[in-house]
Amino acid sequence: MSAVISVNNLSKIYESGFQALKNVNLDINAGEIFALLGPNGAGKTTLISIICGIVNPSDGAVLADGHDIVRDYRKARSKIGLVPQEIATDAFESVWGSVSFSRGLFGKPRNDAYIEKVLRDLSLWDKKDSKIMMLSGGMKRRLMIAKALSHEPKILFLDEPTAGVDVELRRDMWEMVRKLREQGVTIILTTHYIEEAEEMADRVGIINHGEIVLVDEKTRLMQQLGRKQLTVHLAAPMAAIPAPLSNLPLTLADDGMALVYDYDANQERTGIEELLRTLNQHNIEFKDLHSRQSSLEDIFVDLVKNGVNREAMAS
Amino acid sequence: MNFYSIRAIYKFEMARTWRTLMQSVASPVISTSLYFIVFGSAIGSRMVAIDGVSYGAFIIPGLIMMSLMTQSISNASFGIYMPTFSGTIYEVLSAPVSALEIVIGYVGAAATKSTILGLLILITARLFVDYQVQHPVMMLAFLVLTAVTFSMFGFIIGVWADTFEKLQIIPLMIITPLTFLGGSFYSIKMLPEFWQTVTLFNPVVYLISGFRWSFFGVADVHMGVSLGMTLVFLLVCMLAVWWIFKTGYKLKS
């Protein structure tokens, strides 16, 4: 697959001396949904702002659809739509006026039919003549998306699109993002809702302290890093793990009512059979069994908080 | 040149003018009318003619210039300050537009608005005093040049200001005194010799003098010097704007 955005050795040091990005390299494939995950202050917004031309890079280069974002900024920027994290709108302008302004600003001739389509897709058509200050928060956010789509971009950046958005609107937004992808738009979204990345993304990049820690396909990431857990709910409490089970990777729950078994689902022999057999042999009765797979969130927390390094993951 | 982008910014800024019609057009016209009533009719009737021009007519170019300058600055500074304040500037910065196109859009709209205003005051003045414009083309040239120069100056202030206070302080502390002392209401020849020399360091003197020349054919300083100085101020402002965009000063981190 060809890269539609190519970030090479990008660094950013703010005037205050704060280094927001450290030698970042990243390729975004055409037509994918890429989720950039990271805690607050990790450098997500700085990275996006540089690509979109709002912040000057300190070092390195970025190509957007093959155009250098500094030297060839006109061509690069005309391909990109940005929905920033903060809602910033002109209070007194109408919805229609605001979206039309954005289209003109990006150098596109007037096209009322297209703007109508964008507004309809985002359920803003009824509000086209309303002043922006009369809109609800969710509508304003959709307006920001409409503005970003007004010039028919190939690449769409959504910086924390669902921060502070209710569940229904979040579902709608996901639906809309998928539709855009079907139309061939590449979508890069930043989020710190892991659920969002898990739900939407084709690939996930994790950024922390200005460095890209990991980039991988979501499914592979979850497979490779995902651990499975089997919980055995006991019929009677247990003070300690019995000797015959001591060689298995088991932990006893605090109340002594459950045994938790960690295993790797990708292994041919998961060891579950052996565990159950052993329990049987020693007449340890259990009421229930349940297994769960670790979520992207668990993986993320492992990576970011516990500092699991790349070598450990590669193995 | 990205024509659609310039038009979008220009239209957006002009729309702001029409939305705030009372505040942007009516109030300067009302306040100038008051000046004409007080200075032109009431006090002016007791003043002797200056260079053969009745006092009421004499102050017209000065009053127009004064409004033109303050309005150009406030329009343009507000026009660029508001987006940086509200955060909507992100859109302009991320758009495929050059610095020149941004400036043409913002400064062009501010200058258009204040030029219209200047002409409105000129028409209003007719209700109070009889006057003739001897060099209408030069009159328009001075009007437009001053509007553009001061709109650009306002743009610079709008970028520089990071609080509302800073936005107000330059017009209030510098421009108002300079226009009052720049011969809006008097000929600098009426000042003692020492103060006449001091006044020559006031750039506004040249603007008012040149503008007044286009009306009555008489001036404090030669018209060529006035025109030259006006162009120099324009150039200085253009250089400052160029520097702002080259370094990203206050616009981009």
Side-chain angles (χ1 to χ4, degrees):
Chain A
M1 253 192 277
S2 60
V4 72
I5 293 220
S6 178
V7 180
N8 299 304
N9 302 319
L10 191 69
S11 291
K12 174 66 189 179
I13 302 171
Y14 282 105
E15 251 171 61
S16 60
F18 174 67
Q19 182 156 19
L21 295 177
K22 294 170 193 158
N23 205 30
V24 168
N25 287 288
L26 180 65
D27 277 352
I28 310 285
N29 299 326
E32 73 175 340
I33 298 179
F34 186 91
L36 194 59
L37 288 177
N40 289 326
K44 303 186 294 280
T45 299
T46 299
L47 179 59
I48 288 188
S49 298
I50 290 177
I51 298 174
C52 295
I54 296 168
V55 170
N56 292 325
S58 301
D59 200 15
V62 181
L63 296 180
D65 202 29
H67 307 289
D68 186 283
I69 55 147
V70 176
R71 234 176 316 112
D72 217 357
Y73 70 93
R74 269 190 211 272
K75 282 186 183 148
R77 290 186 199 170
S78 64
K79 301 288 194 299
I80 299 175
L82 165 67
V83 182
Q85 192 172 342
E86 307 261 331
I87 296 179
T89 52
D90 296 287
F92 304 104
E93 185 62 77
S94 72
V95 168
W96 178 269
S98 180
V99 178
S100 302
F101 164 75
S102 300
R103 185 176 170 88
L105 186 66
F106 275 74
K108 284 277 168 83
R110 189 172 162 166
N111 183 343
D112 290 356
Y114 178 76
I115 295 199
E116 180 177 341
K117 181 185 172 295
V118 169
L119 290 181
R120 283 191 189 280
D121 285 352
L122 288 161
S123 319
L124 283 171
W125 182 246
D126 298 345
K127 298 282 173 187
K128 71 182 165 70
D129 298 318
S130 304
K131 281 191 175 161
I132 294 170
M133 57 195 263
M134 306 302 286
L135 302 183
S136 69
M139 286 177 189
K140 280 185 189 152
R141 203 168 270 283
R142 274 179 280 156
L143 171 69
M144 301 285 284
I145 297 174
K147 281 163 79 69
L149 292 174
S150 66
H151 63 282
E152 302 160 57
K154 272 183 80 172
I155 305 159
L156 182 68
F157 282 95
L158 296 163
D159 196 357
E160 304 276 353
T162 54
V165 158
D166 67 38
V167 181
E168 200 182 342
L169 183 57
R170 189 178 302 173
R171 296 268 159 206
D172 287 353
M173 218 170 264
W174 290 348
E175 199 47 51
M176 184 213 70
V177 168
R178 285 198 193 97
K179 254 193 229 161
L180 284 171
R181 199 252 306 260
E182 279 164 29
Q183 293 163 22
V185 179
T186 305
I187 290 139
I188 298 107
L189 59 95
T190 72
T191 182
H192 51 238
Y193 295 128
I194 320 275
E195 187 199 355
E196 196 156 81
E198 205 171 310
E199 173 86 23
M200 309 265 304
D202 299 313
R203 285 200 309 151
V204 174
I206 294 175
I207 185 169
N208 196 24
H209 299 301
E211 286 177 294
I212 299 279
V213 186
L214 168 89
V215 176
D216 210 340
E217 277 171 31
K218 180 190 67 188
T219 43
R220 196 160 63 196
L221 186 68
M222 291 183 62
Q223 250 173 29
Q224 274 187 358
L225 297 177
R227 287 276 176 273
K228 290 202 89 170
Q229 264 181 357
L230 178 74
T231 308
V232 181
H233 294 279
L234 301 167
M238 203 177 257
I241 295 173
L245 298 172
S246 61
N247 58 342
L248 292 170
L250 277 175
T251 43
L252 185 66
D254 286 341
D255 60 359
M257 288 299 289
L259 284 168
V260 180
Y261 178 64
D262 283 304
Y263 65 101
D264 186 342
N266 300 317
Q267 294 288 325
E268 214 166 291
R269 294 182 59 87
T270 55
I272 293 178
E273 220 185 296
E274 192 194 337
L275 170 70
L276 295 182
R277 208 172 33 237
T278 317
L279 289 176
N280 237 337
Q281 281 167 5
H282 295 84
N283 292 323
I284 301 172
E285 281 181 34
F286 53 90
K287 294 187 294 191
D288 197 6
L289 287 174
H290 87 265
S291 75
R292 71 178 273 271
Q293 179 157 21
S294 58
S295 66
L296 196 53
E297 177 149 2
D298 302 330
I299 298 168
F300 176 75
V301 170
D302 264 359
L303 280 172
V304 172
K305 301 278 155 42
N306 307 336
V308 177
N309 62 30
R310 257 168 287 189
E311 284 84 328
M313 285 183 301
S315 60
Chain B
M1 266 302 176
N2 190 339
F3 170 71
Y4 292 114
S5 306
I6 298 175
R7 196 180 63 176
I9 297 175
Y10 185 85
K11 256 181 73 181
F12 182 87
E13 282 299 294
M14 289 311 281
R16 202 164 55 85
T17 308
W18 307 131
R19 273 201 305 267
T20 53
L21 201 63
M22 270 310 279
Q23 166 201 329
S24 32
V25 177
S27 77
V29 169
I30 291 171
S31 67
T32 341
S33 302
L34 292 173
Y35 275 114
F36 280 120
I37 295 167
V38 176
F39 289 98
S41 306
I43 298 177
S45 58
R46 292 163 189 238
M47 298 276 284
V48 287
I50 302 168
D51 292 329
V53 180
S54 78
Y55 187 69
F58 181 86
I59 61 169
I60 294 171
L63 279 177
I64 293 175
M65 272 290 164
M66 201 164 86
S67 296
L68 196 68
M69 286 183 235
T70 48
Q71 287 300 312
S72 295
I73 289 180
S74 87
N75 291 341
S77 62
F78 207 72
I80 189 70
Y81 176 77
M82 278 319 284
T84 49
F85 178 73
S86 70
T88 54
I89 191 76
Y90 84 87
E91 210 179 4
V92 175
L93 292 178
S94 66
V97 289
S98 68
L100 183 65
E101 288 152 6
I102 296 175
V103 173
I104 292 177
Y106 279 106
V107 170
T112 305
K113 186 172 155 186
S114 47
T115 304
I116 293 173
L117 191 77
L119 294 172
L120 270 177
I121 295 173
L122 190 64
I123 296 165
T124 315
R126 194 72 188 182
L127 302 173
F128 301 94
V129 225
D130 208 19
Y131 64 86
Q132 268 160 359
V133 182
Q134 288 190 11
H135 309 280
V137 176
M138 282 308 291
M139 193 273 288
L140 265 180
F142 271 113
L143 199 68
V144 172
L145 271 179
T146 309
V148 170
T149 306
F150 277 77
S151 295
M152 217 173 269
F153 187 51
F155 186 87
I156 297 166
I157 293 173
V159 171
W160 164 78
D162 36 30
T163 59
F164 274 101
E165 198 196 0
K166 277 187 174 176
L167 198 62
Q168 305 286 356
I169 204 149
I170 302 268
L172 202 68
M173 302 295 281
I174 300 177
I175 302 302
T176 309
L178 286 184
T179 44
F180 266 86
L181 302 174
S184 303
F185 301 107
Y186 57 88
S187 163
I188 60 169
K189 286 174 197 152
M190 294 156 85
L191 294 171
E193 206 167 312
F194 171 75
W195 290 106
Q196 278 192 37
T197 318
V198 172
T199 301
L200 290 179
F201 290 95
N202 178 357
V204 177
V205 165
Y206 300 95
L207 300 171
I208 294 180
S209 173
F211 195 51
R212 188 170 284 141
W213 169 86
S214 69
F215 278 73
F216 310 119
V218 289
D220 288 339
V221 286
H222 190 270
M223 168 266 172
V225 179
S226 291
L227 190 61
M229 291 301 265
T230 311
L231 291 171
V232 168
F233 303 141
L234 180 62
L235 196 71
V236 170
C237 289
M238 280 164 85
L239 281 174
V241 169
W242 173 80
W243 177 84
I244 285 176
F245 278 99
K246 191 175 173 286
T247 58
Y249 171 77
K250 293 235 179 165
L251 286 178
K252 293 190 188 188
S253 44

